[in-house]
Amino acid sequence: MVDTSPSLGRSPSVKDVAAAAGVSLGTVSNVLNRPARVSPETRSRVERAMADLGFVRNESARQLRMGTSHTLAYVMLDASNPFFTDVAQGIELAAEGADISLFLCNSNNSAAREESHLGHLMQQRVQGILLTPVDPESATIDLVAGRGVPLVLVDRKRDDERYCSVAVDDELGGRLAIEHLVDRGHRRVAYVGGPEKLGQVRDRLAGARAAWADAGLLAAHLTVLPTQALTVGEGRGAGERLAGIPASRRPTAAFCANDLVALGLLQQVIGSGRSVPGDVAIVGYDDIYFAAAAAVPLTSVRQPRQELGRTAAELVFAETEPDHLHRQVVFQPELVARASTTGPSSGPSKGPSKGPGKGPGKG
Amino acid sequence: MVDTSPSLGRSPSVKDVAAAAGVSLGTVSNVLNRPARVSPETRSRVERAMADLGFVRNESARQLRMGTSHTLAYVMLDASNPFFTDVAQGIELAAEGADISLFLCNSNNSAAREESHLGHLMQQRVQGILLTPVDPESATIDLVAGRGVPLVLVDRKRDDERYCSVAVDDELGGRLAIEHLVDRGHRRVAYVGGPEKLGQVRDRLAGARAAWADAGLLAAHLTVLPTQALTVGEGRGAGERLAGIPASRRPTAAFCANDLVALGLLQQVIGSGRSVPGDVAIVGYDDIYFAAAAAVPLTSVRQPRQELGRTAAELVFAETEPDHLHRQVVFQPELVARASTTGPSSGPSKGPSKGPGKGPGKG
DNA sequence: CGTTCTTATTGAAAGGTTTCAATCGCTGAA
DNA sequence: TTCAGCGATTGAAACCTTTCAATAAGAACG
């Protein structure tokens, strides 16, 4: 053990430091908080004593006295989804500047865990909570906000003036994906995703349908392949169902509700000896790190993840200002085209391209 | 008359609850901590008052008085690496049972951030710290442990009796990978990874070399392709260098120091029109979720990630016991064979397979 | 020398919780 | 009637920090 300090049985307090330095405890506190008010000699004497004793400020006591804490918390929906860790990174960037440390909690898609985390955080009197909720309509949210804890919803919105939120326009994202596929000459497309109770899944589909209609295409030619969840396994399953559709009616492209589903679909297509985008073009959603790293790099709708986090942090800081008006910030997604739609054998392989699109080609 | 309106300007304290319920504050505390000691009527009266006022225990005050906290922290090296989020999940499982909440901090490979996080955590008097350090030999670690904070190193070890640690036998992992490749008939293999200062990179290579020698193969035929970091991009670069080696000397398989590198390599190989495992068989390391989800599912050395986290949490709880002896727990990795080595056209495509391996085939 | 002004330091109070010895109100026994 | 015994309740102290009015010690000035 490297125990340089005089063993005290407990960690040293300002009082111990004061005694060691031969000053009053008020002076020690001044050294910590208003060093300019203390004469240089005294200050260095106190600093020496602190170093000798291995003094560490007791944050609980500080917080109790001050009433404010130096922590912000992000209760994330799924820590193993790279999307959310990127959002967290954005938050951290914003917090860093404010000398605030970020407390990440993982609700792991469980409402019970989310509630437990929120309870703990309220007891800790954190400065603010950022939350991507399991269910945006949950009453727990009202409870937390009702207690006066600054709260910002992240990547979810709620038609409710009482909350700040940051989200991305999922309908626009759906439009972008479909416009891109139509541009590349696809006239039969599958939308892969579910369950429908997820707002994201619904909104992206709505955008897709709107764009499809705007292109003057037949509604029936935009097939929906529902999934139970947005996972790789479900994507694989959807791939099998897709392959089962008779060639004459089979979509030449798939727009997946997120990248995990898209990766699963990609895996199934390649694994069964077909090619991407030759046999099926694929568009994912989120543009996670692994989308670009896939065997066939994935075209995907990118959300400004870090920006999302950074903005959420700023909003939560603003919550404490007097007369604060809650804001719903909505970001615009952006399509990132890669080989899974623009690859060497892009575009539908049969049938004339009668649309106004650029048609097949390397792009 | 009891004032049920929660608007008090500050959040209600036990004192407020006591006043509202017409009891002393000691009784309120008893209701919270030893409900059996309070008569049923009184208890329900107090509980009612707490609900009416929206009372939330102030954790700072509690902690100040008690000296113990209910939080455990995991300072992780890289929150965007699925490996660490899985470890975190294991920790959380163990913490859940102990009514302790887990505080995740991301050092993001920065020593400065790591230090800042550790400082904050010490001030918070967390119950214990789990740490995957940027540098296992850093003096900061001694400092923290010297202050008496329970500390366990995760996925890193240190030849030092003063710390508990949990790690995985990287040398064995290296052996497993090479034995698998030799079994499948490969006689020229590349080890892809770096920088060498990472203990993991060194140990895995050492194991690989040992297994290679044990198989009676020529040391020179185990090529090392160094990388700057363990990322997808570096893996792609290594793939290009691999392709540049004259066919006569070119390795027929690659063992990558982690899955990110392996995925990059896979992408480069597939992207340039060659096949896996036909032209190059690939073994990764970590068996992250995306390894199985790759276009060609990746053979990988799996580490018991959740187990790692769970055990680390148990060790940190044990730290507070008197006469605690620090333990270094080492887990055994396990090879998970998938298509990237056992696929339809597995095994080296040219030259007779003179080894005792199962040879090419579907496996 | 007395006064005022400045600067450095001090001591006590406050913040919300838990603990523990002390007290209260009863019941049953002597 | 008094007293011990018992369970329920109480009040004050302690945890550590920050704040702020008060004090002390000089310095500048008349």
Side-chain angles (χ1 to χ4, degrees):
Chain A
M1 262 299 155
V2 224
D3 194 6
T4 53
S5 57
S7 192
L8 201 57
R10 58 183 169 77
S11 50
S13 71
V14 278
K15 209 196 281 189
D16 301 313
V17 174
V23 298
S24 83
L25 96 194
T27 300
V28 177
S29 178
N30 280 335
V31 170
L32 287 168
N33 304 299
R34 274 93 97 234
R37 288 218 188 145
V38 181
S39 75
E41 319 86 278
T42 311
R43 184 163 67 222
S44 67
R45 200 146 36 95
V46 171
E47 278 163 351
R48 161 80 69 94
M50 294 202 290
D52 286 350
L53 270 61
F55 170 76
V56 177
R57 220 210 218 96
N58 184 325
E59 174 67 18
S60 299
R62 180 184 179 286
Q63 190 172 318
L64 173 59
R65 176 63 232 241
M66 302 282 285
T68 70
S69 94
H70 274 168
T71 45
L72 195 63
Y74 177 35
V75 181
M76 62 208 297
L77 190 59
D78 177 6
S80 66
N81 184 335
F83 175 81
F84 294 111
T85 60
D86 285 351
V87 171
Q89 205 151 343
I91 298 170
E92 201 147 4
L93 282 176
E96 204 169 19
D99 188 36
I100 278 180
S101 60
L102 180 65
F103 192 151
L104 296 176
C105 302
N106 182 15
S107 68
N108 214 20
N109 267 298
S110 144
R113 271 167 102 104
E114 176 181 297
E115 197 172 332
S116 150
H117 280 308
L118 290 174
H120 274 279
L121 293 171
M122 287 175 64
Q123 294 196 359
Q124 303 235 11
R125 302 288 196 273
V126 293
Q127 198 168 87
I129 298 179
L130 308 183
L131 171 68
T132 302
V134 174
D135 169 17
E137 304 299 332
S138 149
T140 316
I141 299 177
D142 295 308
L143 205 79
V144 172
R147 292 271 190 284
V149 183
L151 177 75
V152 172
L153 299 180
V154 177
D155 193 44
R156 294 288 187 277
K157 50 194 162 224
R158 197 166 148 159
D159 294 326
D160 194 325
E161 298 289 314
R162 295 174 302 156
Y163 300 98
C164 274
S165 65
V166 293
V168 181
D169 188 339
D170 283 318
E171 225 172 293
L172 176 58
R175 296 192 79 98
L176 291 175
I178 291 301
E179 282 167 7
H180 174 72
L181 288 173
V182 169
D183 261 13
R184 301 211 59 89
H186 296 279
R187 294 296 173 268
R188 281 181 181 273
V189 170
Y191 175 78
V192 184
E196 216 183 327
K197 69 173 182 193
L198 287 180
Q200 333 258 310
V201 170
R202 277 201 312 274
D203 292 350
R204 289 166 196 177
L205 176 56
R209 283 195 166 129
W212 193 253
D214 286 357
L217 296 167
L218 204 55
H221 289 181
L222 177 62
T223 322
V224 174
L225 286 180
T227 62
Q228 302 293 323
L230 298 177
T231 62
V232 174
E234 289 286 323
R236 266 195 300 265
E240 280 154 20
R241 276 181 286 149
L242 187 64
I245 299 176
S248 61
R249 302 195 285 112
R250 189 184 309 142
T252 59
F255 166 36
C256 301
N258 84 356
D259 282 346
L260 299 182
V261 171
L263 288 172
L265 177 59
L266 176 67
Q267 184 184 23
Q268 199 279 333
V269 172
I270 302 256
S272 63
R274 288 170 297 148
S275 84
V276 173
D279 295 302
V280 189
I282 301 180
V283 178
Y285 207 109
D286 282 352
D287 190 33
I288 61 176
Y289 181 70
F290 294 96
V296 179
L298 206 61
T299 294
S300 190
V301 179
R302 170 184 294 167
Q303 315 197 50
R305 300 178 290 255
Q306 291 218 353
E307 189 90 1
L308 214 55
R310 213 171 44 68
T311 308
E314 282 162 12
L315 284 179
V316 87
F317 292 147
E319 283 267 331
T320 49
E321 289 165 6
D323 298 329
H324 168 76
L325 270 190
H326 297 296
R327 290 201 299 145
Q328 281 85 38
V329 177
V330 176
F331 285 98
Q332 311 261 309
E334 159 192 22
L335 189 120
V336 181
R338 296 206 187 84
S340 75
T341 56
T342 67
S345 53
S346 157
S349 47
K350 25 194 116 107
S353 163
K354 45 190 170 175
K358 297 167 203 137
K362 272 203 182 162
Chain B
M1 207 59 210
V2 180
D3 183 14
T4 53
S5 86
S7 66
L8 198 58
R10 58 183 168 78
S11 50
S13 71
V14 278
K15 210 196 279 190
D16 301 315
V17 174
V23 298
S24 84
L25 98 193
T27 299
V28 177
S29 178
N30 281 334
V31 170
L32 287 169
N33 303 298
R34 275 96 93 234
R37 286 215 191 146
V38 181
S39 74
E41 319 84 280
T42 309
R43 184 162 69 223
S44 67
R45 198 146 37 94
V46 170
E47 279 163 351
R48 160 80 70 95
M50 296 202 289
D52 285 351
L53 269 62
F55 171 77
V56 176
R57 222 209 216 97
N58 184 325
E59 176 65 20
S60 299
R62 180 185 179 284
Q63 189 172 320
L64 173 59
R65 175 64 231 245
M66 301 282 284
T68 70
S69 92
H70 274 170
T71 45
L72 194 64
Y74 177 35
V75 181
M76 62 208 299
L77 189 60
D78 177 7
S80 65
N81 184 334
F83 176 81
F84 294 112
T85 58
D86 284 351
V87 172
Q89 205 152 342
I91 298 170
E92 200 147 3
L93 282 176
E96 204 168 18
D99 189 37
I100 278 180
S101 62
L102 181 65
F103 193 150
L104 295 175
C105 303
N106 181 15
S107 69
N108 214 20
N109 266 299
S110 145
R113 268 167 104 104
E114 176 181 297
E115 196 171 331
S116 150
H117 280 309
L118 290 174
H120 273 281
L121 293 171
M122 288 174 63
Q123 295 195 0
Q124 302 234 11
R125 301 288 194 275
V126 292
Q127 197 169 85
I129 299 179
L130 307 182
L131 172 67
T132 300
V134 174
D135 168 18
E137 304 299 331
S138 149
T140 316
I141 298 177
D142 294 309
L143 204 81
V144 172
R147 293 270 191 284
V149 183
L151 178 75
V152 172
L153 299 180
V154 177
D155 194 44
R156 294 287 187 278
K157 51 195 160 223
R158 198 166 148 161
D159 294 326
D160 195 325
E161 297 288 313
R162 296 174 302 156
Y163 301 97
C164 274
S165 65
V166 293
V168 181
D169 189 339
D170 283 319
E171 225 172 294
L172 176 58
R175 295 192 80 98
L176 292 176
I178 290 301
E179 281 166 8
H180 174 73
L181 289 173
V182 169
D183 261 15
R184 301 211 59 90
H186 296 279
R187 294 299 174 264
R188 282 181 180 273
V189 170
Y191 175 78
V192 185
E196 217 184 324
K197 69 171 184 195
L198 287 180
Q200 331 259 310
V201 170
R202 279 200 312 273
D203 293 350
R204 287 165 196 177
L205 175 55
R209 284 195 166 127
W212 193 252
D214 287 356
L217 296 167
L218 204 57
H221 289 182
L222 178 62
T223 323
V224 174
L225 287 181
T227 62
Q228 303 291 324
L230 298 177
T231 62
V232 173
E234 289 286 322
R236 265 196 300 265
E240 280 155 20
R241 276 181 288 148
L242 187 67
I245 299 176
S248 61
R249 305 195 283 112
R250 188 185 310 141
T252 59
F255 167 34
C256 302
N258 83 357
D259 282 344
L260 299 183
V261 173
L263 288 172
L265 177 58
L266 176 67
Q267 185 185 22
Q268 198 279 332
V269 173
I270 304 255
S272 63
R274 288 169 297 148
S275 84
V276 174
D279 296 300
V280 189
I282 301 180
V283 178
Y285 207 109
D286 284 350
D287 190 33
I288 61 177
Y289 181 70
F290 294 97
V296 179
L298 207 60
T299 293
S300 189
V301 179
R302 170 186 295 166
Q303 315 197 50
R305 300 178 291 254
Q306 291 217 353
E307 190 91 0
L308 215 57
R310 214 172 42 71
T311 308
E314 282 162 12
L315 285 178
V316 87
F317 292 148
E319 285 266 331
T320 49
E321 289 166 6
D323 300 328
H324 168 75
L325 272 188
H326 296 296
R327 291 201 298 145
Q328 281 84 38
V329 177
V330 176
F331 285 97
Q332 311 260 310
E334 158 194 22
L335 188 119
V336 182
R338 296 205 186 85
S340 74
T341 58
T342 67
S345 51
S346 156
S349 47
K350 22 194 119 107
S353 163
K354 47 192 168 175
K358 297 167 205 136
K362 272 201 181 164

